[in-house]
Amino acid sequence: MLIRSLDRLDLDRAWIRVLAWVRRAVMDVPDRLPFEAADRLWSGSPVLDHDHAVQPVQLVFATKTGGSTVRPFVRVHPRDLLLYQALVDSLRDAVEGTLGSPEEVFAYRLAPLTADSATEGSPTFRDYNRAVRTHADEHPMDYIVQADVSSFFISIRAEELERRLLERGASGPVVRDLRALLAGWHAEGVQGLPQGLLPSSVLANFYLAPVDRALRERGARFWRYMDDVAVAADGFHAGREVLDLLEGELYADGLSLGASKTKVVRAASAGSEFRTMRERLNEQFEEFVDALGDYAPADEEAGELRQEQVRELFDDAIQSLRRDEFRRGELTIAFQELGRFEDGHALPQLPYVLLRLPGMTKAASSYMADVSGPTNRGALVAALEAIVLQDRFHRAQEWLHILRAVMVAGDQVTPTLVPKLEQLAEGHEHALVRCRALLAWGRQSAAHEFGAADGFVQRERRDRLGYALVAIQCKATDPRNSRYERWSSEGRGLANLATSLRRQMLAWNSI
């Protein structure tokens, strides 16, 4: 593609914003090595040419935590992501001038270019929840229309996005470059906007502006977080009319409402639903403390009581799971809270949880990282071995999260997994799983084992060979350096990465 707007793009600022996002985000697809390596190789921002070739992408079909459906997350080349961020940054005036008040339209709002974070100051999902709940508490006899858009990101039409941006006064060359970039990804199999990338979230938020406009023209009180919409109505019939309005606006764009999350309910009921699981847990704990009367527990005792409360929450959720009741929110909060206490109480049950709820792999893996200290080492190793060796995961996203947990567990703590990791690195159908498995193999295998890395270099494309360099970074120095010298002949980027790794190894928990 020919980049018509390259000379007016602030690439240095866009690259800072890309790295700021990648470093702090908890990714649904935890595969960051290309970004970390690019930061070190280019010492700032990479250089783009007017004649830009869109690189191949990797798709990961990720299980939603709340169910068994999946969504396709897209991992793109760092240079393509840089261009995407720079183009969207240049569209800030058109996007922000359309979205309106952040008290109505939440989620991803573009910050000024002076900010390192592209969405600095954006209202969060918690803010959205709080706003709806506040209205519901103040008007309990009203109704609330709750709705979301089905398959939102993949249903967005690039030609319609282009038309709306131009209609709002966006720069023609920038919009056409954006359309060309999206067309390049479409040729790689990406439908709609590539999900899992921050610039896509900004554009997706903008795409629903006609829905906002229709609700404002009706005089409705509404709140929207991306494709989740809540609208106040003074009666059930009025709520049904709002649903008709939403369906009509979305249908005109080739979109539709998701049946499972769309309903008209009493405001009092909606207020309860919009309370987060953590808020409910806090309220229960406060009620328990209040019931103690004049006795006020000291901080240490209060912490122990809270820890016991979370253990009970987890145990109750497990018992419910055995009755085929899927209390995902409670399990997620229990993992987070037990991890905060570095409490390994949930470790023995992890294989069962992930057998029944594979969509919980992200939360479970984060929990394992939190409790990976020496106190829980035996239970953690037993859980990892049971999870990996039962070999019941079939989606790439599930393997990516579990393999990351193996990596952060520590050096050579699970030697029984090494053959399985080598098998995944050699034969899994998804390239990212092979790459992540090689990194986990490198952390867990002995210092003089190089076979899996040697085979990986022979089989894989050149743009994946950086994983082999990182995988052997902690191996015996002389055989490692001889491989670095040999593999560096595959390209300047690999040579620079090898030099960088000799000087400073990447931290395993940042890969």
Side-chain angles (χ1 to χ4, degrees):
M1 60 177 284
L2 179 65
I3 309 177
R4 302 173 179 85
S5 61
L6 182 62
D7 295 335
R8 69 182 74 180
L9 300 179
D10 190 338
L11 296 181
D12 287 337
R13 176 53 58 180
W15 187 240
I16 289 172
R17 296 171 82 146
V18 165
L19 289 175
W21 168 59
V22 170
R23 284 170 176 155
R24 79 170 186 272
V26 179
M27 308 291 283
D28 286 87
V29 182
D31 187 82
R32 305 190 199 176
L33 178 59
F35 302 102
E36 300 286 348
D39 184 24
R40 299 173 69 168
L41 294 178
W42 288 305
S43 301
S45 64
V47 176
L48 298 181
D49 298 321
H50 280 279
D51 190 7
H52 180 81
V54 177
Q55 297 298 305
V57 303
Q58 291 285 347
L59 293 174
V60 178
F61 289 90
T63 310
K64 288 186 176 181
T65 302
S68 58
T69 58
V70 297
R71 50 188 174 181
F73 281 93
V74 181
R75 176 185 172 280
V76 302
H77 191 276
R79 282 192 176 93
D80 291 341
L81 181 55
L82 168 64
L83 176 58
Y84 195 22
Q85 184 67 59
L87 291 170
V88 172
D89 280 344
S90 297
L91 298 170
R92 181 182 183 275
D93 290 344
V95 170
E96 284 302 308
T98 304
L99 287 177
S101 169
E103 295 180 357
E104 285 183 335
V105 180
F106 296 75
Y108 300 94
R109 311 293 297 260
L110 274 174
L113 273 180
T114 53
D116 288 348
S117 172
T119 55
E120 183 177 303
S122 291
T124 66
F125 190 72
R126 181 175 295 180
D127 295 327
Y128 164 74
N129 269 0
R130 187 180 298 115
V132 179
R133 191 172 69 240
T134 298
H135 179 86
D137 290 344
E138 294 173 352
H139 305 85
M141 300 308 294
D142 280 2
Y143 282 79
I144 298 287
V145 179
Q146 297 174 231
D148 84 319
V149 180
S150 177
S151 304
F152 178 41
F153 276 78
I154 66 174
S155 301
I156 291 175
R157 296 180 294 180
E159 66 274 12
E160 181 61 20
L161 176 64
E162 177 185 29
R163 185 191 69 78
R164 292 180 186 179
L165 287 167
L166 292 173
E167 186 180 72
R168 299 299 302 179
S171 164
V174 172
V175 174
R176 294 186 186 94
D177 285 342
L178 174 64
R179 177 73 187 278
L181 180 61
L182 294 176
W185 284 330
H186 181 76
E188 291 289 325
V190 177
Q191 298 184 41
L193 292 179
Q195 195 163 355
L197 306 181
L198 186 58
S200 292
S201 298
V202 171
L203 294 175
N205 206 15
F206 166 81
Y207 194 77
L208 287 181
V211 172
D212 305 333
R213 184 167 57 249
L215 290 170
R216 291 188 189 108
E217 290 173 354
R218 181 186 171 88
R221 180 78 183 274
F222 75 94
W223 308 265
R224 181 171 67 78
Y225 186 93
M226 297 295 289
D227 60 325
D228 285 317
V229 186
V231 187
D234 57 11
F236 184 81
H237 181 70
R240 290 298 302 270
E241 290 179 342
V242 168
L243 272 183
D244 290 343
L245 173 66
L246 290 173
E247 288 173 342
E249 288 293 327
L250 293 171
Y251 183 80
D253 285 336
L255 302 172
S256 61
L257 291 175
S260 63
K261 293 175 65 176
T262 298
K263 52 192 173 183
V264 182
V265 297
R266 284 277 190 187
S269 300
S272 177
E273 289 185 24
F274 274 84
R275 268 181 166 72
T276 67
M277 188 63 231
R278 188 180 300 279
E279 288 171 334
R280 295 175 197 169
L281 189 68
N282 290 339
E283 289 173 1
Q284 292 172 7
F285 186 69
E286 290 172 3
E287 290 173 1
F288 171 76
V289 173
D290 289 342
L292 296 177
D294 295 335
Y295 177 73
D299 291 344
E300 183 177 352
E301 185 181 4
E304 292 173 354
L305 292 171
R306 173 72 172 205
Q307 187 173 354
E308 186 60 34
Q309 178 198 25
V310 176
R311 286 186 170 198
E312 291 178 1
L313 176 73
F314 177 79
D315 292 341
D316 288 345
I318 292 296
Q319 292 303 315
S320 297
L321 186 58
R322 297 189 187 281
R323 298 190 299 269
D324 293 332
E325 299 172 10
F326 303 103
R327 290 158 61 176
R328 297 174 179 85
E330 295 182 17
L331 285 169
T332 300
I333 291 298
F335 284 143
Q336 293 172 354
E337 290 289 299
L338 289 172
R340 186 170 64 86
F341 286 112
E342 299 182 10
D343 185 340
H345 177 74
L347 287 172
Q349 298 292 343
L350 284 187
Y352 178 70
V353 171
L354 297 186
L355 173 64
R356 300 298 309 280
L357 292 170
M360 297 291 297
T361 51
K362 179 180 178 182
S365 298
S366 296
Y367 167 66
M368 285 188 276
D370 291 337
V371 299
S372 59
T375 302
N376 301 308
R377 181 58 52 87
L380 175 61
V381 169
L384 283 171
E385 290 176 347
I387 290 167
V388 175
L389 296 179
Q390 70 184 5
D391 201 15
R392 292 190 172 103
F393 299 109
H394 65 283
R395 290 190 176 128
Q397 173 239 18
E398 295 160 9
W399 272 119
L400 288 171
H401 285 302
I402 294 301
L403 290 168
R404 181 170 177 78
V406 174
M407 287 175 57
V408 301
D411 294 327
Q412 301 178 32
V413 296
T414 58
T416 58
L417 295 185
V418 170
K420 178 62 179 180
L421 298 174
E422 190 167 357
Q423 176 190 344
L424 289 169
E426 178 180 354
H428 196 276
E429 63 182 2
H430 200 288
L432 289 185
V433 175
R434 297 196 300 273
C435 294
R436 177 65 63 188
L438 184 72
L439 293 177
W441 166 87
R443 182 105 201 249
Q444 297 301 329
S445 55
H448 289 278
E449 290 186 34
F450 288 88
D454 291 338
F456 186 90
V457 170
Q458 294 173 8
R459 293 187 306 270
E460 296 290 342
R461 290 189 336 214
R462 188 173 69 177
D463 63 343
R464 298 177 189 141
L465 299 190
Y467 287 90
L469 273 69
V470 177
I472 65 171
Q473 64 178 349
C474 293
K475 299 287 187 182
T477 303
D478 290 341
R480 181 203 66 182
N481 287 344
S482 67
R483 285 167 172 79
Y484 278 0
E485 291 173 9
R486 186 165 69 250
W487 297 345
S488 293
S489 63
E490 295 291 333
R492 186 176 61 183
L494 289 173
N496 289 342
L497 178 57
T499 299
S500 177
L501 289 172
R502 287 193 190 99
R503 185 171 60 248
Q504 180 186 354
M505 292 186 296
L506 289 174
W508 288 109
N509 60 4
S510 70
I511 298 175

